[in-house]
Amino acid sequence: MSQHPTGNQPFTSTPQLTFPSLAPDAGSNNTPPGQCPPLSTPMGDCPFDPRCRPPCCPGTGKQGPAGEEHRDPMEPPGTACGWWALTPECLQPFNTAWGVLLFLSLASFLQGMTVNGFINTVITSIERRFDLHSYQSGLVASAYDIAACLCLTFVSYFGGSGHKPRWLGWGMLLMGLGSFVFALPHFTTGPYRVEAAAADVATCTGNQSAACVPSASGLSRYRLVFMLGQFLHGAGATPLYTLGVTYLDENVQSSHSPVYIAIFYTAAILGPAAGYLVGGALLNIYTELGQWTELTTESPRWVGAWWIGFLGTGAAALFIAIPVLGYPRQLPGTQRYVVVRTSETHQLKDSSPTTEAGSKFGKTIRDLPLSVWQLLKNPTFTLLCLAGAMEATLIAGMSTFGPKFLESQLSLSASEAATLFGYLVVPAGGGGTFLGGFLVNKLKLQGSGVVRFCLFCSLISLLAVFVFVLHCPNVPVAGVTTSYHGHPLAEGPPQLTAPCNAACGCRPEHYSPVCGSDGVLYYSPCYAGCLAEAAVDPGSPKVYRDCSCIPPRLASGPGHTTAGKCPSACQRRSLLLVVMFVVIIFTFLSSVPALTATLRCVSEQQRSFALGIQWVVVRTLGSIPGPIAFGWVIDKACLLWQKQCGTEGACFMYQNAAMSRYLLATGLLYKVLGFLCFLAACCLYRPPLGTPDALDTSLPSQSSASDNPTDPQDDSSTLQHQSSV
């Protein structure tokens, strides 16, 4: 940016700024309305005339000579906060960048809590309640990204030149509706009833010949309702991470933009963490409120109150949408930021070939293909999109099935696994996201330096993904992984029936695992050959005695079993959790730097559309196939499927070693591809002519005009540059 002709003259002798559109009133003895007041006025005395007031100095509504409030001539009309003609004074203190950040952070927190928190927490419960396979529940999770992918191009293209807060507000309303739809199956299906919950049916002497009742018939069709709810979630969240990010970026200084965006994305990461914690607590409540059940939270057939969280987030989304709809197209006092960024944009445009799509961006649908091509022929932008897609595949897959992985490896209940996974995501995901934005600003990284930082984070997480080499051994399961006492285990499918329980007539529909006194897990007390239930204290786990399949011990008498899974004796639990923490934190550490590089490697007018195209690529190649692929891989490791009247249901038990091998192969594939994309972005990136680095002029820490936008000399030269353009 050129310096003012006065050079190093004293501040009080700076020539007054003139605006061609506002001529001074020669007949007035007061300060002409087109000029600033005397610059010798102390800087600490606020307010200044609005035309020269720094953005940090709020408007005071001081009346001028004609009784009219002074308004910045660069500031567009209609910048008050409110709804159409209703602009209450109590809302105006929130009409700032921090106010926008507050409500958008709440929106991103709520979106993350709903879609990436509650959804992933209740996946196991929904599979049990509605008899879904893992690939079907993965399709439910992917419906969010399918909707976002379909809407992103048009929302970012037309919303980029439209009224962004209104797009954001209507999106939040759609998200609230989606939450209500997702909870709808709980109210439209009958009460959840578990067959063979009574003790007289669970034991060997019970009436095992009861007719099979297909109580779960048709419940799997409700996956279409879940997909509709997720589809509304995806359509509603589409403006949030495209228009919301650019709205923040347009209304703050360039030097502050990464911090604002980091806070915004940190809220989006803390949302899933809160979803895991709150959702895990809700799963300890029985899904049928007010009804008594003999099931405990450790029972594999337990279904918690998965639907309560969606009612709360649906109502909260409707509440947050109201203030967001009231924000103006542009915040007051931020026009000077647009002036500075426009100057930077000209530098980028002058150094590379352009098309007419930049000047007519977002005006007509005919410009859409040309605008897409203009972005995709940018190698840095394209490679960053591909790298983001590879990272999104792992994030989407592991966020969906991470609790299930811990549940299987550590022999935990669904609520315990969800809570433990939340404890990992809170510091690792949230801290990594905020730390990434902070380091970009603190280290004053230039454009290629930001990409190299992403490359370093990708390398560390690539090495840490070898955590899946570690696995906890399965608890021995009679008839599945180990033989019954004294009888060899035949090759092929599980053989639950053995001579010791053949006379009991046990049914596979009655799944109620018990831990034997020999340390072996049995499918049910009936398959353990237990004859009766022993008397225990109220609140204690049930104990079954006289079990013929368990060898007697002289010290403890006849074999017996205790309701629930056998505890895991895994010695690698701590190491497994620590390395998973490293994978998560370095994966999220590169998210904000990669986003910052994306925003700065495209022109000002294309930022919203560029984010839209990037999210289309990320979702199409990453978020959509991620849960489906991971669900399919996890299904391959299933040892024991639910049998309901001859129909295969959800998976009861997984082989831990196979699950770890499959996840290692999948994780390595996508991590290596992501690393290669970042590496190619570093090698193929070229700075524009006349600048030391491609993003040097537009990264926050490199623009002196952005760091000090209130300097009169910089402002005057910027305005002169604008007038000449």
Side-chain angles (χ1 to χ4, degrees), residues 83 107 120 175 321 393 419 427 451 458 625 631-632 647 681 711 716 718:
W83 306 274
N120 300 331
M175 281 191 57
T393 304
T419 303
V451 182
S458 178
W632 180 80
T647 304
D711 182 61
S716 61
T718 302

Coordinates of all heavy atoms in Angstrom, one line a residue, residues 83 107 120 175 321 393 419 427 451 458 625 631-632 647 681 711 716 718:
W83 N -35.2 -6.6 13.3 CA -36.0 -7.3 12.4 C -36.9 -6.3 11.6 O -37.9 -5.8 12.1 CB -36.9 -8.3 13.0 CG -36.1 -9.3 13.9 CD1 -35.4 -10.4 13.5 CD2 -35.8 -9.1 15.3 NE1 -34.8 -11.0 14.6 CE2 -35.0 -10.2 15.7 CE3 -36.2 -8.2 16.3 CZ2 -34.5 -10.3 17.0 CZ3 -35.7 -8.3 17.5 CH2 -34.9 -9.4 17.9
A107 N -24.3 -21.3 17.7 CA -24.9 -22.1 16.6 C -24.0 -23.2 16.2 O -24.5 -24.4 16.0 CB -25.2 -21.2 15.4
N120 N -23.7 -39.5 17.1 CA -22.7 -40.6 17.2 C -22.8 -41.3 18.5 O -22.5 -42.5 18.7 CB -21.3 -40.0 17.1 CG -21.1 -39.3 15.8 OD1 -21.6 -39.7 14.8 ND2 -20.2 -38.3 15.7
M175 N -32.4 -26.6 11.0 CA -31.7 -27.5 12.0 C -32.6 -27.9 13.1 O -32.7 -29.1 13.5 CB -30.4 -26.9 12.5 CG -29.2 -27.0 11.5 SD -27.7 -26.5 12.3 CE -27.7 -27.7 13.7
A321 N -31.9 -18.9 16.3 CA -32.2 -18.3 15.0 C -32.8 -16.9 15.1 O -32.6 -16.1 14.1 CB -33.2 -19.3 14.3
T393 N -12.7 -37.9 6.0 CA -13.1 -39.3 6.0 C -12.8 -40.0 7.4 O -13.6 -40.7 8.0 CB -12.3 -40.1 4.9 OG1 -12.6 -39.5 3.7 CG2 -12.8 -41.5 4.9
T419 N -19.0 -41.6 27.1 CA -18.5 -40.6 28.0 C -16.9 -40.6 27.9 O -16.3 -39.5 27.9 CB -18.9 -40.9 29.4 OG1 -20.3 -41.0 29.5 CG2 -18.4 -39.9 30.4
P427 N -10.5 -32.1 25.3 CA -9.2 -31.3 25.2 C -8.5 -31.5 23.9 O -7.8 -30.5 23.4 CB -8.4 -32.0 26.3 CG -9.0 -33.4 26.4 CD -10.4 -33.3 26.1
V451 N 0.8 -23.9 4.8 CA 0.6 -25.2 4.2 C 1.7 -26.2 4.8 O 1.4 -27.4 5.0 CB 0.7 -25.1 2.7 CG1 0.5 -26.5 2.1 CG2 -0.3 -24.1 2.2
S458 N 0.0 -33.3 9.6 CA -0.5 -34.5 8.9 C 0.5 -35.7 9.1 O 0.1 -36.8 9.3 CB -0.7 -34.2 7.4 OG -1.1 -35.4 6.8
P625 N -18.7 -40.9 2.3 CA -18.3 -42.3 2.3 C -17.6 -42.7 3.6 O -17.5 -43.9 3.9 CB -17.3 -42.4 1.1 CG -16.8 -41.0 1.0 CD -17.9 -40.0 1.4
G631 N -18.3 -48.3 8.8 CA -19.3 -49.2 9.2 C -19.2 -50.6 8.5 O -19.4 -51.6 9.2
W632 N -18.9 -50.5 7.2 CA -18.7 -51.8 6.5 C -17.5 -52.6 7.0 O -17.6 -53.8 7.2 CB -18.6 -51.5 5.0 CG -18.4 -52.7 4.1 CD1 -19.4 -53.5 3.7 CD2 -17.1 -53.2 3.6 NE1 -18.8 -54.5 2.9 CE2 -17.4 -54.3 2.9 CE3 -15.8 -52.7 3.7 CZ2 -16.4 -55.0 2.2 CZ3 -14.8 -53.4 3.1 CH2 -15.1 -54.6 2.3
T647 N -34.1 -63.7 11.5 CA -33.6 -62.5 10.8 C -32.4 -62.0 11.5 O -32.3 -61.9 12.7 CB -34.7 -61.5 10.7 OG1 -35.8 -62.0 10.1 CG2 -34.2 -60.2 9.9
A681 N 0.8 -29.6 -2.4 CA 0.4 -28.2 -2.3 C 1.6 -27.4 -2.0 O 1.8 -26.3 -2.5 CB -0.7 -28.0 -1.2
D711 N -5.1 3.9 11.1 CA -4.1 4.9 10.9 C -4.6 5.8 9.7 O -4.9 5.3 8.7 CB -2.8 4.2 10.5 CG -1.7 5.2 10.2 OD1 -1.3 5.9 11.2 OD2 -1.2 5.2 9.1
S716 N -6.1 7.1 4.2 CA -6.2 8.1 3.1 C -5.6 7.5 1.8 O -6.2 7.6 0.7 CB -5.4 9.3 3.5 OG -4.1 9.1 3.7
T718 N -5.5 4.4 1.0 CA -6.5 3.3 0.6 C -7.6 4.0 -0.2 O -8.0 3.5 -1.2 CB -7.0 2.5 1.8 OG1 -5.9 1.9 2.5 CG2 -7.9 1.4 1.4

